[in-house]
Amino acid sequence: MPGIATTDHAEILRRPGRGGLRAALLRWTFIALALTFLGGLLFAPLAVIFGTALGRGLPQAVAIFADTDTRAAVQLTLLVAVIVVPLNTLFGIAAAWAIAKFEFAGKSLLITIIDLPFAVSPVISGLVYVLLFGAQGVFGQWLIERDIAIIFALPGIVMATMFVTFPYVARELIPLMQQLGNDEEEAAITLGAGGLMTFVRVTLPKVKWGLVYGIILCNARAMGEFGAVSVVSGHIRGLTNTMPLHIEILYNEYDFVGAFAVASLLTLLALVTLVIKTVVEWRSGSRGS
Amino acid sequence: MAASGGWRQPSILPGFGLTLGFSTFFVSAIVLLPLGALVLRTASMSPADFFATVLAPRALASYRLTFGASLLAALLNAAGGFLIAWTLVRYEFPGRRLVDALIDLPFALPTAVSGIALTAVFAPDGWVGGWLAAQGVQVAYTWSGVVLALTLIGLPFVVRTVQPALVEVARDLEDAAETLGAKPFTIFRRIIFPAVLPALVTGFTLAFARGIGEYGSVIFIAGNLPMRTEITPLLIVIKLEEFDYSGAAALGFMMLLISFVMLLLINTVQAWSRRRLTVGR
Amino acid sequence: MSIVLDQVTKQYQGTPVVNDVSLDIAEGEFFVLLGPSGSGKSTLLRAIAGLTSVDHGRISLRGRDVTSLSAREREVGFVFQNYALFRHMTVAENIEFGLSVRRVRAAERAKRRRELLELIGLAGLDDRLPGQLSGGQQQRVAVARALAHEPRVLLLDEPFGALDAKIREELRRTIRRVQKELGITTILVTHDQEEAFAMGDRIGVMNLGRLLEAGRPTELYSRPATRFVATFLGAANLLLRRQALNGTALPPRGRAAPAPAPADGPRPREHEVVAVLRPEEVELAPSADAAVGHFLGRGHVEEIVFTGALERLRVRMPTEDAGQSIPGCIDCATTVLLDVTRTQAEQRAFPLRHGQAVAIAARRIHVLPTPLSSFTAFAAGEAAAVALARHPWLTALAAQMQTRIAARIEPSLDGTTAAGEPEAVVGVSVIGTGPGCADQVRWLLAHQAEEILCLSTRERAPARVVIYCATPAARRATLAVAASLLRHVPAEAVYVQILPPEEADGPTATAVRGLLDVRSEARDAHGLDVRTELRFAEPGEALLAELERDESGMLILGIDHDSGVTPELSALLDRPAAWPVLLV
């Protein structure tokens, strides 16, 4: 019998002989230090984003979205996300199934390659596509002859974003599916269920929260990617400018209100992502216990 | 399927061929082929050109900044992140859950947004920067600005690896140590810290690796002065803007090499910590 | 005394997980705390070690009050269920940890470590890491580590839980041997009664946060005082039996009554008791005359299971009162299923098959001292009687007590006239509170009811029980009933003494002494540890105030049965109250 709630660490402080002034002093020092560290690094920038955006009133901040270039940037960002996220979700599920459910040679190699985009600088993620499809790239001449634009156009942006975001779903699902084991799936198969049926009815309900988390992280990164997209986009206003790139342009033009107004939109997206993440963790946590 | 040689263990679950085939194709098209182009481009350079590019003074200065700042930021994060993880796990205080949720913000926030926000806070006319300027310290547009940006980016890595380790390891062993007569600080030094160390090292390495490749959040606050506050990824972008594809590829190749080494290091550290933590369960 | 607990209470989110536990453990004694999971035994052990604070009560170890000392200052050795070895340290470093934090010299540490490793049979494994040892070996190391700093007491929290049966057996022997050799006072927490029997000099049985009984294993097994102990320590059949109030058994039905003829004089006042009949004490015979033991009745075999050395049977038998039809009884069980075990010799002497009719006798029967036997819900109409008998808290309580609830319709209940001579009232009578309650109590008292439970409509179990005696004469019975009830209710209990307000300035020493007497009587005679409080007020008002303090109270009220329902009591009963009242 494990007694009462073993993960409640705060309980330790209520033990006999622990409630002294020194302990309280130490505790509040720690809390103060942690909050100061976070305050300067995290909370102040967060506040400054909304503060600057709304510095001249809400109408001023909203006005930036009336600008056609800004709207084009928002639309492009959404378009990229709509293409990239479903593809990467599909890939993530397929990769997780192959890796978590089967033992095969080369598995750890595959996992390492999936992790690769996490370790590679976003600039390199863009660079490789320029080397492949740019004017002096491997396929450059071939593409120019056929008048197909990849670099400095939508396909390049999509591919660079895909590169950067493709581990997210797989990375969430693989450990989860490995931990849950194969028993239930094998039971379903012996009961006569098909592969798709087994996945939808047996596996998916177990991993759905992990999947949701993977997808929202993938989406957040896809909409917010800067380095990789910056390299392949060409920064053509109204055409190949995504929201993060547009922020850079506005910022460099000293339109701080505009830059931070667009930034606060992306920040809201990030905050929503965190809320969903917290809810997902809470749901899966309460379900697990 | 089972007849397809000894390279996989038989299983009654379906979909192996389909999912592995699709994954492999996707990985090849999106990752391996483009990376291959980078290696190819670099290989087509003459060794003299290659070394002239990657060992140019400006390149060397950028490595120094990128590595130095990443290392410093990761160290700062190891200390600050441990403190934050400890506080979140051990102490009850108003707003704890909110702070806990916000730790992941640098993961979710676009790097460009972090970059301009940090710059605004730490610029000489910003909230914190103004106060620092009055003390004679300038952060924005110097190397310390780079460190700051990389600290923000790497923070969640340390906190999120240390936090579960603290939750999992402390209670039982701490009880045991206390009944054996150890004082709180002794318990921390001899029991908790050694048990959490592998997680801390993992978090440190992850933050360090992330810092090396970081671009978006740094370029706004760095000032980007050649030889002084120019990071390697920025140098690659500059080469690209000058249509020096080979130069960009060479530098990119160097960074890729470093990334591989870092990845290897992370895996080694994780394997080591797993071994240390799971034995005996 | 080596370990003394005095009214230790630990609450968790409002409910007591350890409830007024008092216990003395002698020097060198091996004490086992036994109980189901959630009974509070582990929490109590952690409180002794200082790993959990207590809300009330004192703990002393070897004459030193340690209640407010931290675990590190208590000098205890603690062994955890999951070993809790420091995985980054070798076996040697683990064992020496307690010594090194006390700055003992290295040579001395090494000497002590080698002694301990020798003692637990792991000599030579000094430099291994815990991960390289088996579960049993790890737990041995944990024991050695707990003993290294020569603690005053050794506390073992389910140390065998994670081990398989054979290793468990071995480790039990080792620990018992080491404990005897060192003569160290030890408390072992377990949920395994076999383990408790095998290891304990004494066993304390806990349930719902209370320490129900403590005693030698044989004592507890053969003469348990409570239903819980009777059924938790080994298998037991609980039977409701009628006795004459003077203690003699009534003639068993189904056999010609050789008992004193009831013709001359009034029928002896009947009284219901709870009897414990162990399965191995049941005797099955072809006929009543062939049985050696005390004849219980006839029945038939419903189930036979062969389990190797023993044969397990279930035999259905009519209940003792099945023969007579109680007028108005609508919910009375008429048969009871007995668990029986028989040895090979018994099986050979009297082979049985399924469905066979047998005579049932008891070789040994033990009557529990509990005054609460069964419940009978009384009402004037059928619907009301059934509703009372289905009351959620009452049914939960009856299930806890493993007893039955009958429902009886007494049309004359609301009036004061007793029509004819109704069947005797036995066990606890249950009625509803509210207007008319006092009249019903009057009727029941007139029919010699001993305990009357006035149930309110509240469905939750009480969290606070107030005990009050209106007359000193009722104290003994009231405490017995309170003790019996509180074993099944996880609530705080307070015994209040209420003195008239004008006595507040006078000498109160007598009253205080009286309260101390109450505590010791409750503890010694009934195994119940209660808190006591002294009030100065009008008793009626004070009781009302006490109970209205919170919605979840309950009152156990000792009254003078002969003087009947006083106006004061009648006022108390007739008001629609949220809390139940148990009259004794």
Side-chain angles (χ1 to χ4, degrees), chain C residues 415-479:
Chain C
T416 40
T417 52
E421 176 72 7
E423 177 66 19
V425 173
V426 291
V428 182
S429 311
V430 183
I431 56 174
T433 53
C437 181
D439 286 338
Q440 300 183 358
V441 169
R442 244 172 239 127
W443 188 95
L444 286 167
L445 286 178
H447 291 84
Q448 286 156 9
E450 287 173 76
E451 297 91 20
I452 305 168
L453 176 62
C454 306
L455 267 187
S456 62
T457 47
R458 192 189 70 209
E459 298 185 352
R460 267 176 307 120
R464 217 172 97 81
V465 175
V466 177
I467 306 161
Y468 174 72
C469 287
T471 158
R475 197 172 83 187
R476 193 181 167 74
T478 308
L479 284 177

Side-chain angles (χ1 to χ4, degrees), chain C residues 9 24 49 106 147 171 186 203 296 306 353 416 471 583:
Chain C
T9 298
D24 294 348
L147 291 170
L171 195 52
T186 301
I203 300 175
L296 292 175
F306 173 72
R353 58 187 155 61
T416 40
T471 158
L583 295 172

Side-chain angles (χ1 to χ4, degrees), chain B residues 9-31:
Chain B
Q9 287 175 16
S11 163
I12 66 159
L13 294 179
F16 177 69
L18 180 73
T19 55
L20 185 66
F22 178 67
S23 308
T24 314
F25 167 74
F26 206 81
V27 158
S28 308
I30 295 294
V31 180

Side-chain angles (χ1 to χ4, degrees), chain C residues 43 315 347 441 482 579:
Chain C
T43 308
V315 180
Q347 291 168 43
V441 169
W579 22 267

Side-chain angles (χ1 to χ4, degrees), chain A residues 123, chain B residues 59 61-67 212 230-237 251-252 254-255:
Chain A
V123 168
Chain B
S62 81
Y63 303 151
R64 247 196 319 276
L65 177 65
T66 306
F67 277 91
I212 290 172
E230 191 177 59
I231 54 169
T232 312
L234 179 65
L235 202 53
I236 295 176
V237 172
L251 286 175
M254 285 300 288
M255 287 201 68

Side-chain angles (χ1 to χ4, degrees), chain C residues 261-533:
Chain C
D264 54 327
R267 212 165 55 154
R269 201 171 146 191
E270 279 187 13
H271 171 79
E272 193 179 53
V273 295
V274 181
V276 177
L277 180 57
R278 297 276 178 204
E280 68 272 16
E281 305 284 10
V282 180
E283 184 189 359
L284 300 179
S287 70
D289 298 326
V292 181
H294 176 75
F295 178 70
L296 292 175
R298 289 173 205 289
H300 63 272
V301 178
E302 275 208 357
E303 191 183 298
I304 304 183
V305 180
F306 173 72
T307 61
L310 292 174
E311 180 186 56
R312 291 183 194 284
L313 304 98
R314 306 193 101 182
V315 180
R316 190 167 291 282
M317 182 180 83
T319 52
E320 207 186 10
D321 50 14
Q324 60 197 325
S325 59
I326 298 170
C329 193
I330 49 176
D331 203 12
C332 300
T334 52
T335 60
V336 59
L337 206 52
L338 286 183
D339 283 318
V340 183
T341 53
R342 299 202 308 165
T343 60
Q344 295 265 359
E346 289 174 272
Q347 291 168 43
R348 278 191 296 272
F350 181 37
L352 281 172
R353 58 187 155 61
H354 191 266
Q356 189 169 338
V358 288
I360 303 157
R363 295 195 186 92
R364 187 179 171 281
I365 206 159
H366 167 71
V367 173
L368 292 181
T370 173
L372 299 181
S373 49
S374 67
F375 295 99
T376 310
F378 280 88
E382 177 168 345
V386 171
L388 261 183
R390 298 271 182 276
H391 189 283
W393 179 53
L394 182 64
T395 46
L397 184 64
Q400 269 278 342
M401 294 170 62
Q402 306 179 45
T403 189
R404 64 163 190 213
I405 310 170
R408 239 171 98 175
I409 305 158
E410 287 294 346
S412 63
L413 188 63
D414 284 334
T416 40
T417 52
E421 176 72 7
E423 177 66 19
V425 173
V426 291
V428 182
S429 311
V430 183
I431 56 174
T433 53
C437 181
D439 286 338
Q440 300 183 358
V441 169
R442 244 172 239 127
W443 188 95
L444 286 167
L445 286 178
H447 291 84
Q448 286 156 9
E450 287 173 76
E451 297 91 20
I452 305 168
L453 176 62
C454 306
L455 267 187
S456 62
T457 47
R458 192 189 70 209
E459 298 185 352
R460 267 176 307 120
R464 217 172 97 81
V465 175
V466 177
I467 306 161
Y468 174 72
C469 287
T471 158
R475 197 172 83 187
R476 193 181 167 74
T478 308
L479 284 177
V481 166
S484 193
L485 182 80
L486 283 168
R487 282 174 203 132
H488 307 286
V489 181
E492 280 186 275
V494 187
Y495 183 97
V496 290
Q497 173 95 304
I498 306 174
L499 294 178
E502 57 270 19
E503 280 185 32
D505 303 326
T508 53
T510 337
V512 172
R513 204 174 311 127
L515 283 179
L516 287 176
D517 287 348
V518 167
R519 254 198 76 187
S520 60
E521 183 186 338
R523 201 175 147 185
D524 298 342
H526 311 294
L528 171 74
D529 214 317
V530 288
R531 268 175 256 170
T532 49
E533 284 174 18

Side-chain angles (χ1 to χ4, degrees), chain A residues 15 103 105 121 129 136 277, chain B residues 7 9 14 30 41 104 175 213:
Chain A
R15 286 181 183 172
E103 290 301 325
S121 170
Y129 288 99
Q136 305 171 33
K277 170 191 177 277
Chain B
W7 69 286
Q9 287 175 16
I30 295 294
R41 187 79 192 206
D104 281 330
D175 285 352

